[in-house]
Amino acid sequence: MKRFAYTLFCMAAFTTSAMAQANSDTLRVVESNVSRVGEDVIVDMKLDLSHIEVGRNRTLVYRPLLMKEDSVAELTPIIVNGRVRHIQYQRLERAEDFPNEIEIRRENGTEQTLDYHARVPFTDWMNKSEVVMVCDLCGCGWESLQNDRSSLFPVNLIHEPVVPAVLYITPLAEVKVREKSGSAYLDFPVNQTVIRPDYRRNSTELAAIDATIQSVEDDPNATITKVTIKGYASPEGSYANNQRLAEGRSNALLEYVKKLHDFGDAEFSVSSEPEDWEGLEKRIESSSIADKEEWLAIIRDSEPADLDRKEWKLKQLPTYREVLNTIYPALRHSDYTVEYHIRNFTTDEAREMLYKDPSQLSLEEMYRVAQTYEVGSESYNEVFEIAVRLYPDDPISNLNAANTALLNRNATAARRYLTKAAEGPEKRLAEGVASWLEGDTDQARSIFESLTDDPKVGVQAKENLEKMD
């Protein structure tokens, strides 16, 4: 139980000797605990009677009460008797008539304590109340000659959990580079490199490329900085001819999109892969063809170095025609990437963008938005949750998300985020808090003590040690 040092004074004014005695009749509450259990309130106190002097024919009655303004709940009274009154109490069998009171004989001049326990039905006003004590000095007829009321300690049944101290990392401002990419499966007449939009499914493939570029151009916050195209051909035919086709078709696609869009000062990069052997290997590996292992053995064999010779060996396999018709077409593709920059936002703009298109925000901009909310509030927490979803592998977003989880007392989620957080005192501090929440106070204390002199997290480590005491 939590220790207190409250002192109760019982006053009497009927005689000078009684008054002198009453001034020395003090009762001390050295421990106390008030808690709600189900529909009841439990009051436990350890009372020190050591300084009380009770005359042999005198009685002190202590009446603990739960009070708040005009609301009162009586607790079990305490009867402290002198030697003669204690005998009379027993002879009158008062304990049988008043079973809900505690009687004790005071052994004057000795150290004496009483473990007090009482239970009363709970009502809402008790959440924020106080325990008071009314002390009666009784005469020989058990009537109250004088009483005094003392406030003991406040009662708070609505326990606010201890909030651990953590340290968020402020992300650095950055140039926001974004990109959109895709793959186009264009059809060309045999040995030709000229794009024909109306040829086979080309209209659909070209429309997809156009839509990707247009979506960036339509964004007022974006500026295209680079367009990259890489063309691939299948291993069918000679390597030299495939190299010509891959290069020519990549350049043809670039010229096509440049005619449709104004890229300003954007940079362009065009490259090609004459034969997509890597793509062939992946698709064969995931296929269910009968002679898969033979295909993979030939593809992976470093000999012969002559790729035309390797292609000839593939042609000898019984499933070559099947693969030529079902897998080779997918190897003839042009991969494209549109790289662009997003302008920087003010804090107000970033707050609006957070729920409109958070992908346009940097971690630094989201952090600034979080600082406009109360720490630990729903809006504050939500910002860091959005940040870690958008940047799932970023060390800073994971450290900050872990801190948010810790403030929500979710050590399990915090541990998951901390696996991706960068090593450092901030992460170590968070690990200490996680151990604390998990109940491993020895480990938590050890971590905090190791960080007390750290210039970054020393203040937070000391604060947590104080809160743990």
Side-chain angles (χ1 to χ4, degrees):
M1 288 188 284
K2 191 172 182 180
R3 291 189 169 272
F4 295 88
Y6 300 107
T7 301
L8 310 178
F9 297 92
C10 294
M11 304 295 293
F14 57 99
T15 66
T16 302
S17 60
M19 180 178 293
Q21 176 180 312
N23 285 332
S24 64
D25 291 341
T26 61
L27 175 65
R28 295 176 180 174
V29 182
V30 293
E31 295 181 9
S32 68
N33 182 62
V34 181
S35 59
R36 180 178 176 184
V37 179
E39 296 302 315
D40 292 333
V41 172
I42 307 298
V43 179
D44 290 302
M45 294 185 288
K46 185 172 185 178
L47 306 173
D48 185 3
L49 291 74
S50 302
H51 299 280
I52 293 178
E53 294 289 333
V54 181
R56 58 197 301 270
N57 288 312
R58 294 296 181 188
T59 295
L60 293 175
V61 180
Y62 294 94
R63 303 182 187 277
L65 308 172
L66 270 176
M67 294 189 65
K68 182 179 181 181
E69 299 174 350
D70 295 332
S71 300
V72 179
E74 295 186 12
L75 304 175
T76 304
I78 306 164
I79 311 297
V80 183
N81 283 321
R83 184 176 64 83
V84 173
R85 295 301 292 271
H86 174 66
I87 295 172
Q88 292 175 345
Y89 186 94
Q90 291 181 321
R91 286 178 178 175
L92 293 173
E93 297 181 346
R94 182 178 172 88
E96 296 182 6
D97 297 330
F98 299 92
N100 294 322
E101 64 183 20
I102 300 171
E103 191 268 345
I104 185 172
R105 176 190 168 183
R106 173 66 184 120
E107 302 284 349
N108 291 334
T110 65
E111 292 188 359
Q112 195 172 1
T113 60
L114 171 66
D115 290 326
Y116 177 86
H117 177 82
R119 178 190 295 262
V120 291
F122 169 79
T123 53
D124 289 339
W125 62 264
M126 295 178 181
N127 282 325
K128 297 283 187 177
S129 58
E130 65 174 335
V131 173
V132 302
M133 187 77 83
V134 175
C135 180
D136 295 335
L137 180 60
C138 295
C140 58
W142 304 98
E143 74 278 7
S144 176
L145 300 176
Q146 184 70 26
N147 67 57
D148 181 57
R149 190 179 78 180
S150 300
S151 177
L152 296 187
F153 50 84
V155 173
N156 182 8
L157 297 178
I158 306 176
H159 296 290
E160 297 294 337
V162 175
V163 179
V166 296
L167 185 63
Y168 286 79
I169 295 180
T170 304
L172 298 176
E174 62 179 275
V175 177
K176 294 180 290 183
V177 179
R178 303 289 188 270
E179 64 178 39
K180 293 186 177 183
S181 59
S183 295
Y185 298 89
L186 298 172
D187 288 317
F188 293 85
V190 177
N191 282 330
Q192 293 188 21
T193 60
V194 177
I195 293 178
R196 291 170 51 180
D198 57 348
Y199 188 67
R200 295 183 177 174
R201 56 180 182 180
N202 284 353
S203 60
T204 300
E205 296 296 311
L206 293 172
I209 300 173
D210 182 63
T212 299
I213 299 172
Q214 193 65 50
S215 67
V216 180
E217 288 185 331
D218 290 343
D219 187 342
N221 302 313
T223 300
I224 296 176
T225 57
K226 186 176 182 180
V227 177
T228 301
I229 295 176
K230 184 174 184 179
Y232 295 81
S234 67
E236 180 187 9
S238 70
Y239 185 87
N241 190 52
N242 287 336
Q243 184 175 31
R244 177 185 68 82
L245 293 175
E247 290 178 356
R249 290 170 180 176
S250 297
N251 284 304
L253 179 58
L254 176 62
E255 293 305 315
Y256 178 85
V257 297
K258 287 174 70 173
K259 291 179 181 178
L260 297 178
H261 301 274
D262 180 7
F263 293 101
D265 297 328
E267 177 185 351
F268 298 97
S269 174
V270 180
S271 60
S272 60
E273 187 77 29
E275 296 180 352
D276 190 3
W277 287 93
E278 182 178 348
L280 177 61
E281 180 181 0
K282 290 180 179 179
R283 291 177 180 274
I284 291 293
E285 195 170 30
S286 62
S287 72
S288 58
I289 60 173
D291 49 358
K292 177 194 298 188
E293 297 306 320
E294 288 84 349
W295 274 88
L296 292 175
I298 295 172
I299 294 172
R300 292 168 179 171
D301 187 3
S302 59
E303 297 293 339
D306 184 349
L307 294 179
D308 287 341
R309 175 66 179 169
K310 181 177 289 191
E311 183 198 355
W312 178 85
K313 294 179 70 173
L314 291 178
K315 287 182 177 181
Q316 311 312 307
L317 296 176
T319 57
Y320 177 77
R321 183 60 57 183
E322 176 187 349
V323 172
L324 182 66
N325 294 328
T326 60
I327 293 180
Y328 272 44
L331 304 178
R332 307 170 194 132
H333 57 96
S334 296
D335 295 346
Y336 57 91
T337 300
V338 181
E339 187 176 296
Y340 57 98
H341 290 176
I342 298 293
R343 72 173 180 87
N344 295 326
F345 296 106
T346 66
T347 301
D348 289 340
E349 289 174 328
R351 187 187 300 109
E352 180 180 353
M353 191 63 68
L354 184 69
Y355 300 101
K356 182 179 178 181
D357 186 2
S359 65
Q360 296 204 11
L361 298 178
S362 66
L363 281 175
E364 186 272 338
E365 288 168 333
M366 285 188 273
Y367 186 87
R368 279 194 280 116
V369 172
Q371 303 316 298
T372 66
Y373 300 117
E374 181 181 355
V375 176
S377 66
E378 183 177 348
S379 296
Y380 182 89
N381 295 340
E382 187 176 24
V383 174
F384 291 106
E385 290 168 0
I386 293 174
V388 78
R389 287 200 300 269
L390 288 175
Y391 299 90
D393 298 316
D394 185 89
I396 293 179
S397 70
N398 277 279
L399 186 281
N400 289 343
N403 286 336
T404 298
L406 292 172
L407 293 180
N408 288 329
R409 311 188 74 79
N410 188 344
T412 301
R415 291 287 190 189
R416 185 172 65 253
Y417 291 129
L418 287 173
T419 60
K420 295 183 179 181
E423 296 298 329
E426 297 92 346
K427 177 180 178 179
R428 192 66 178 147
L429 178 71
E431 290 174 335
V433 174
S435 295
W436 183 11
L437 295 178
E438 291 164 346
D440 191 350
T441 54
D442 290 340
Q443 175 69 5
R445 190 178 298 277
S446 175
I447 293 175
F448 295 147
E449 288 175 348
S450 72
L451 295 172
T452 53
D453 295 329
D454 188 274
K456 291 183 178 180
V457 300
V459 172
Q460 290 78 11
K462 292 175 183 177
E463 181 179 341
N464 286 332
L465 286 171
E466 291 175 359
K467 290 178 178 180
M468 291 180 69
D469 292 335

